[in-house]
Amino acid sequence: MVDLKAEFPLQDEVLYLNHAAVAPWPRRTRDAVVAFADQNIRVGARDYPAWLEVEARLRQRLARLIQVAPGEVALLKNTSEGLSVIAQGLDWQPGDRVLISDQEFPSNRIPWQALADRGVEVVEVDVSGEGAEQRVIDAIGEGTRLVSLSSVQYGSGIRLDLAPIGRACRERGVLFCVDAIQSLGAVAFDAGACCADFVVADGHKWMLGPEGLALFYCRPAVRDQLTLRQFGWHMIAAAGDYTRKDWQVAADATRFECGSPNMLATHALDASLSLFEELGMDRVEAALADRVAHLHQGLAARGAELLSPADPARRAGIVTFRLPGEAPTDTRARLHAGGVVCAERGGGVRLSPHFYTDYSVMDRALALL
């Protein structure tokens, strides 16, 4: 039985509702980092083979999280790097089009816009309201090379049904990329079921890990479509043979990892994900959904305008709202003064609890309104 109060000993005056930005660590993650640091000052890298076992275990945990094989997962620095590997790796032609939503975080917009000098056009599709998925599908037309969408929009919290979009892309020979940073650790995810060719997500939000380490998935069937732009000792087939001159890139996803791994973050994220595996994603998702519903009800009772979807199927962990007659900046300032850790996003104030968030934390935050 996991003791969540022991895992998350947040100070009583801290009302943490900001997991969509940067999340607190579980105690086990702190302990893993402390143990790793202690080992470093006592014996250095003497036990590096054991570190590699942690890295392999993390790759397996991440693979299970998105339901793919471990060899299909690369460990990169962040979401932006992963999306840039795709954007800079594909062989673009003038007239190619990339479809994104009109609500994307800059990480899933700028890498595609940066291709303008190669004749690539970025088309934004409205994903608000009903029929969002069909509008994306209808926008796939001549010249569409890739569709890149956030599974959950960072501002409004809109959760897209990715499967019909992915199927439409696969049927039409269009690549499908998913920025899953607002999904993984919050709701269940299946890369195969949504026909994703690429999945990218940093670990510092809903996965409760550190900044600086991200999952990068590339479907094996399209792996060779990405020309590598970064090279180093780690991404070759015989990575341990330092004298070999006739090198070849690795056959699996490690080809995208050009240099030394972030072992500190590896130990941390591995520990964080162990919590999700002990609890099970079904339990995590259900607990988070209950907390999101609680916030929706509490905000509605206080006359707030909810900017996040009313339909539970359209929600993940984000609740964005604004109060009539008060600027979101002022609302957030009042909440912050009362100890609430939240953000101003999507034209309102964004609250993002997690599965472990105590209801008293949310009620105290609501009372400040």
Side-chain angles (χ1 to χ4, degrees):
M1 185 69 176
V2 178
D3 186 345
L4 292 179
K5 289 189 180 296
E7 285 285 357
F8 297 96
L10 289 162
Q11 296 177 1
D12 185 63
E13 67 271 19
V14 174
L15 307 178
Y16 208 94
L17 297 171
N18 205 29
H19 296 84
V22 179
W25 294 358
R27 184 184 293 277
R28 66 181 65 194
T29 303
R30 190 282 307 266
D31 292 346
V33 169
V34 170
F36 181 74
D38 187 61
Q39 184 182 36
N40 270 272
I41 67 169
R42 292 179 183 276
V43 299
R46 182 194 66 186
D47 301 325
Y48 202 91
W51 298 359
L52 293 176
E53 291 177 7
V54 175
E55 182 189 55
R57 188 172 64 208
L58 171 61
R59 210 181 296 272
Q60 292 165 0
R61 293 194 201 279
L62 289 168
R64 287 193 290 269
L65 194 62
I66 66 170
Q67 304 186 51
V68 300
E72 298 170 6
V73 171
L75 305 176
L76 300 185
K77 294 193 294 293
N78 47 55
T79 308
S80 296
E81 182 186 34
L83 293 170
S84 293
V85 165
I86 302 165
Q88 295 300 314
L90 291 171
D91 181 23
W92 301 99
Q93 301 298 320
D96 283 346
R97 299 165 72 237
V98 175
L99 300 188
I100 64 174
S101 85
D102 60 345
Q103 300 185 25
E104 294 296 336
F105 190 75
S107 293
N108 195 31
R109 175 169 41 83
I110 292 173
W112 316 117
Q113 292 174 331
L115 299 170
D117 62 350
R118 296 165 71 174
V120 177
E121 178 188 6
V122 176
V123 178
E124 296 186 1
V125 181
D126 175 16
V127 294
S128 60
E130 295 300 316
E133 291 81 7
Q134 192 57 51
R135 286 195 295 276
V136 174
I137 293 170
D138 291 344
I140 300 172
E142 185 177 356
T144 303
R145 180 78 179 280
L146 178 141
V147 174
S148 186
L149 295 170
S150 291
S151 50
V152 176
Q153 295 302 324
Y154 80 102
S156 66
I158 292 172
R159 178 182 178 184
L160 294 174
D161 183 1
L162 299 174
I165 300 173
R167 287 194 297 269
C169 287
R170 189 70 56 84
E171 291 166 0
R172 304 176 193 193
V174 174
L175 294 169
F176 186 36
C177 174
V178 179
D179 176 348
I181 197 169
Q182 297 291 1
S183 282
L184 300 190
V187 294
F189 189 92
D190 187 332
C194 65
C195 298
D197 294 299
F198 309 104
V199 179
V200 191
D202 207 322
H204 66 271
K205 298 184 187 293
W206 303 97
M207 286 188 272
L208 304 173
E211 293 184 285
L213 188 60
L215 170 150
F216 178 83
Y217 163 75
C218 176
R219 189 165 66 93
V222 301
R223 194 176 289 155
D224 289 337
Q225 292 187 36
L226 293 183
T227 299
L228 297 175
R229 304 296 183 186
Q230 301 180 95
F231 296 87
W233 72 272
H234 193 273
M235 42 76 71
I236 61 175
D241 187 349
Y242 304 129
T243 60
R244 185 168 180 171
K245 303 294 178 67
D246 58 334
W247 57 271
Q248 293 181 331
V249 299
D252 63 8
T254 58
R255 65 170 59 190
F256 302 111
E257 304 170 5
C258 65
S260 296
N262 184 345
M263 275 298 177
L264 179 61
T266 294
H267 280 72
L269 187 56
D270 175 68
S272 295
L273 292 182
S274 72
L275 177 60
F276 291 92
E277 294 200 334
E278 287 179 28
L279 294 170
M281 276 307 302
D282 288 346
R283 180 179 170 188
V284 168
E285 183 172 348
L288 178 55
D290 287 344
R291 283 153 175 78
V292 167
H294 185 78
L295 283 174
H296 268 258
Q297 292 164 7
L299 288 165
R302 286 163 175 79
E305 178 188 358
L306 287 162
L307 305 178
S308 297
D311 182 357
R314 285 287 191 192
R315 304 194 300 233
I318 290 172
V319 180
T320 305
F321 72 96
R322 58 184 170 221
L323 295 178
E326 184 174 54
T329 299
D330 296 332
T331 304
R332 182 198 170 276
R334 287 201 297 116
L335 289 170
H336 181 75
V340 181
V341 184
C342 59
E344 185 182 347
R345 298 285 190 274
V349 176
R350 184 184 70 185
L351 305 178
S352 48
H354 213 326
F355 69 92
Y356 70 88
T357 304
D358 197 271
Y359 284 88
S360 66
V361 168
M362 296 184 287
D363 289 341
R364 288 166 62 194
L366 290 168
L368 292 169
L369 300 176

